[in-house]
Amino acid sequence: QVHMVESGGGLVQPGESLRLSCAASGSIVRVNAMGWYRQAPGKQRELVSKITRLGTTNYADSVKGRFIISRDNAENTVRLQMNSLKPEDTAVYYCNLQTDVFQYWGQGTQVTVSS
């Protein structure tokens, strides 16, 4: 069983920054990728960013140049540095872990960007 703990969400004003963190523990054989998805009210869950075991990253077009993902393979942690936040970034952010067979989700953390 895999347990994932997220932290770092909150309420900020437009232009400010937040950093999300996610730590995975438990019966993890090999992690292929970790990343972050988000879901805004009334919308589908979408990929924000992910990073592979080898360090390859990809980002949604809407966050390129503003968000930076990083990962500690030894600790099975992933972080998302979010800069220049916009109101449209408001959503519940979910941590995701992918192995060869399964994928796991965190419980979600709320990010609200509002003046």
Side-chain angles (χ1 to χ4, degrees), residues 26-91:
S27 303
I28 302 172
V29 177
R30 190 178 86 161
V31 177
N32 288 337
M34 295 186 74
W36 293 90
Y37 288 70
R38 68 186 180 188
Q39 188 166 18
K43 295 188 176 181
Q44 290 189 332
R45 190 173 297 189
E46 63 175 1
L47 173 68
V48 177
S49 179
K50 71 176 182 181
I51 182 167
T52 70
R53 183 169 53 87
L54 299 180
T56 302
T57 60
N58 66 323
Y59 296 89
D61 287 343
S62 59
V63 307
K64 283 180 181 176
R66 299 188 296 122
F67 291 10
I68 301 171
I69 193 168
S70 60
R71 178 177 166 182
D72 183 329
N73 287 340
E75 298 293 329
N76 284 326
T77 60
V78 64
R79 296 178 179 86
L80 186 68
Q81 178 66 41
M82 305 186 294
N83 301 318
S84 302
L85 283 161
K86 304 175 180 180
E88 51 263 43
D89 294 318
T90 296

